[in-house]
Amino acid sequence: GSEAPTSSGRAARHTSSMNAAQTRSLYRKILRTAQRWPSVKRAKVIAEIRSEFRENRHVDDPEKVRALTSEAHTGLITLRSQSGLSSKSTDLDFKFGEHG
């Protein structure tokens, strides 16, 4: 049988909205961690995080999104280690590159 032309579009939108929700969650976790970061440059770092996410909010290429998300996750791990927060936190249970 053949698929209706809109079914793949719906699947792509569903995947996109799931990725958007995961990205927003990751963004909030990074900001919360950055707000606890013990540095005189904290405000500048938070502004840079917001700016970078804002600049990339319209990226829709799945590979680019995966790369940016991976980079953001690495940044979160780095911030957590520099903030003295455990990297074993459940906040870090984030999966990359999974195809559904």
Side-chain angles (χ1 to χ4, degrees), residues 3-72:
E3 277 188 282
T6 58
S7 66
S8 63
R10 271 189 237 121
R13 281 192 299 278
H14 178 69
T15 301
S16 176
S17 66
M18 283 177 33
N19 288 339
Q22 290 175 331
T23 301
R24 280 191 300 275
S25 176
L26 180 59
Y27 173 71
R28 287 189 299 267
K29 290 171 187 174
I30 291 170
L31 285 179
R32 279 195 305 268
T33 302
Q35 289 169 352
R36 294 197 268 178
W37 192 44
S39 173
V40 295
K41 296 181 182 183
R42 177 180 24 223
K44 181 180 179 190
V45 167
I46 290 170
E48 287 175 10
I49 291 166
R50 287 184 172 140
S51 175
E52 229 177 291
F53 271 84
R54 199 173 299 123
E55 287 172 17
N56 291 301
R57 72 176 168 226
H58 297 296
V59 172
D60 58 3
D61 173 37
E63 289 302 316
K64 179 73 172 166
V65 169
R66 214 173 341 271
L68 289 167
T69 304
S70 179
E71 182 180 325

Side-chain angles (χ1 to χ4, degrees), residues 59-89:
V59 172
D60 58 3
D61 173 37
E63 289 302 316
K64 179 73 172 166
V65 169
R66 214 173 341 271
L68 289 167
T69 304
S70 179
E71 182 180 325
H73 185 260
T74 299
L76 175 58
I77 291 170
T78 301
L79 275 174
R80 284 186 173 275
S81 69
Q82 293 175 355
S83 300
L85 300 171
S86 170
S87 64
K88 293 183 181 184
S89 170

